[in-house]
Amino acid sequence: MSDSAIKVKNLYRYFGALKAVDGISFEIPHGSVCGFVGANGAGKTTTMRILASLDYPTMGSVEICGKDVTAYPDEIRKLIGWMPDHFGNYDHMTVLEYLDFYARALGYSGDERRSRVRDVMEFTDLIPLSDRLSNKMSKGMTQRLGLARSLIHDPQVMIMDEPAAGLDPKARVELKHLIRVLAEEGKTVFISSHILSELGEMCDSLLFVNNGRIVHHGDADSLRVGSDSTGGFLYDIQLIGEAQSLSDWSVINPNVEFLETRKRGGRIRIDSNDPNVAADILAKMVRDGLRITEFHREERNLEDAFIDILGKIDEGNPSPIQATQTETTTHS
């Protein structure tokens, strides 16, 4: 078996003069959950359709579990479960009939077919809805039905395009739980979403794409503790006494900027990512008489991190991933 469940190398997809996918490369290990993030038109759906063998690359290669998607599409479809952002169902067909229909279409019969349908219905909690018409359900129930359909053949890799779109909070929590269970069972999940906070909670890694190119690939924690767009780190300071004392102290000390007053202190920015600098600043606060009760680095939300990355690109500073891709393309 290949070391990577998904391997993409120098992938391009043109539609006339439009570069929907512009030379991206990445690998996703087995048993992990990767969130695929980007604005509308960034190239997410095109990339996912190529992974699902529903479209062809203009150039480059894609492998699923070591098999080339373009060369072996029939084998690839046995390995993947594809859950698009919208999928059709049928009038007057119940949930049970719907899943049984797809199990038959996949070639299952007899006890094996019934067993597979029952298993996916149990996993997605659809058994109580067996007799519900498949086109008369809530958005959350419909998404569970789509997930059940994509799992009938027990795929190794799940490709999910915006599965949480339009779900209420309860349904999103249920979906997150199901995705983590799939990963614990050894399946690889590649999932796109506009809800970055939820991707950060369920994904092992995040892949940001912009204008068809990858601008970040890493874990969510590295983004949360990363610097702001100017390279500094934000800290929440709580103290006994007036917040004005913290503001006054910040004015006369280097590497520190007072940002705002809070109920029991304030927020400051330290223009260094060196923890020794932060430790020295805290020690000096105490020596200078500030009665600090709490001092901690704030986490950025993932939306701010994504915007910061795009802002740096707009200013003409490519991300390390972009620079590497450019060099690879030049030498190819």
Side-chain angles (χ1 to χ4, degrees):
M1 179 181 292
S2 171
D3 292 337
S4 300
I6 300 173
K7 185 175 182 179
V8 175
K9 185 175 181 181
N10 294 330
L11 182 66
Y12 292 82
R13 182 63 170 104
Y14 301 162
F15 295 97
L18 173 65
K19 289 184 179 180
V21 181
D22 190 12
I24 65 175
S25 299
F26 62 88
E27 295 187 30
I28 309 299
H30 292 278
S32 65
V33 181
C34 178
F36 197 30
V37 181
N40 291 332
K44 300 191 308 298
T45 297
T46 299
T47 300
M48 299 182 90
R49 284 178 55 81
I50 293 172
L51 291 176
S53 77
L54 298 174
D55 195 5
Y56 293 95
T58 303
M59 291 184 289
S61 65
V62 176
E63 294 181 359
I64 303 290
C65 300
K67 294 186 180 295
D68 186 273
V69 170
T70 303
Y72 304 101
D74 290 340
E75 293 188 34
I76 293 300
R77 290 166 189 169
K78 296 175 184 178
L79 295 171
I80 64 168
W82 166 241
M83 186 175 172
D85 53 349
H86 298 288
F87 57 91
N89 45 33
Y90 305 97
D91 294 346
H92 312 301
M93 184 177 280
T94 67
V95 167
L96 177 59
E97 291 168 341
Y98 180 89
L99 294 173
D100 185 72
F101 168 78
Y102 275 97
R104 290 172 184 267
L106 288 165
Y108 298 110
S109 61
D111 290 340
E112 184 180 16
R113 187 186 77 245
R114 288 186 286 271
S115 175
R116 286 181 178 272
V117 171
R118 182 180 63 251
D119 288 347
V120 297
M121 290 184 71
E122 287 179 351
F123 178 75
T124 54
D125 196 26
L126 286 173
I127 288 181
L129 303 175
S130 296
D131 296 327
R132 182 77 63 91
L133 290 176
S134 62
N135 65 334
K136 301 294 183 183
M137 299 197 300
S138 69
K139 178 68 173 178
M141 294 174 184
T142 301
Q143 291 299 80
R144 279 191 278 148
L145 179 61
L147 178 59
R149 186 187 73 174
S150 66
L151 288 170
I152 288 174
H153 59 301
D154 193 23
Q156 296 182 38
V157 176
M158 290 293 298
I159 302 172
M160 310 173 74
D161 192 6
E162 296 286 349
L167 298 186
D168 61 39
K170 180 176 182 293
R172 290 203 300 269
V173 170
E174 292 171 349
L175 179 65
K176 283 191 293 184
H177 171 70
L178 292 177
I179 289 171
R180 287 312 314 176
V181 171
L182 290 173
E184 290 167 5
E185 292 178 351
K187 298 188 187 301
T188 305
V189 182
F190 191 67
I191 176 173
S192 74
S193 177
H194 286 98
I195 309 171
L196 270 65
S197 58
E198 294 191 349
L199 284 181
E201 294 171 5
M202 74 173 108
C203 294
D204 302 300
S205 64
L206 295 175
L207 192 65
F208 289 177
V209 64
N210 183 58
N211 292 329
R213 307 193 71 185
I214 295 173
V215 296
H216 170 81
H217 189 188
D219 60 53
D221 290 340
S222 66
L223 291 171
R224 290 193 182 101
V225 301
S227 64
D228 64 18
S229 59
T230 58
F233 285 85
L234 306 182
Y235 289 81
D236 179 67
I237 312 296
Q238 295 189 20
L239 72 163
I240 297 173
E242 295 294 328
Q244 185 62 40
S245 62
L246 176 62
S247 175
D248 294 342
W249 184 90
S250 300
V251 170
I252 61 175
N253 282 274
N255 304 319
V256 181
E257 177 187 2
F258 185 82
L259 299 178
E260 67 172 315
T261 299
R262 289 188 169 175
K263 186 175 181 180
R264 294 184 179 86
R267 295 172 73 229
I268 66 171
R269 176 182 171 276
I270 297 177
D271 62 1
S272 172
N273 61 3
D274 184 348
N276 292 308
V277 173
D280 291 342
I281 287 172
L282 173 59
K284 191 170 190 307
M285 284 180 178
V286 174
R287 288 197 304 271
D288 291 348
L290 294 178
R291 303 185 67 190
I292 306 298
T293 60
E294 188 169 335
F295 179 99
H296 72 270
R297 181 187 294 178
E298 292 186 348
E299 288 190 344
R300 292 187 301 170
N301 63 49
L302 296 177
E303 287 82 1
D304 287 344
F306 184 43
I307 291 170
D308 281 347
I309 290 171
L310 296 185
K312 291 175 183 177
I313 294 170
D314 290 340
E315 292 170 2
N317 300 313
S319 70
I321 289 178
Q322 277 192 310
T324 300
Q325 288 182 334
T326 302
E327 182 179 350
T328 300
T329 303
T330 301
H331 291 299
S332 295

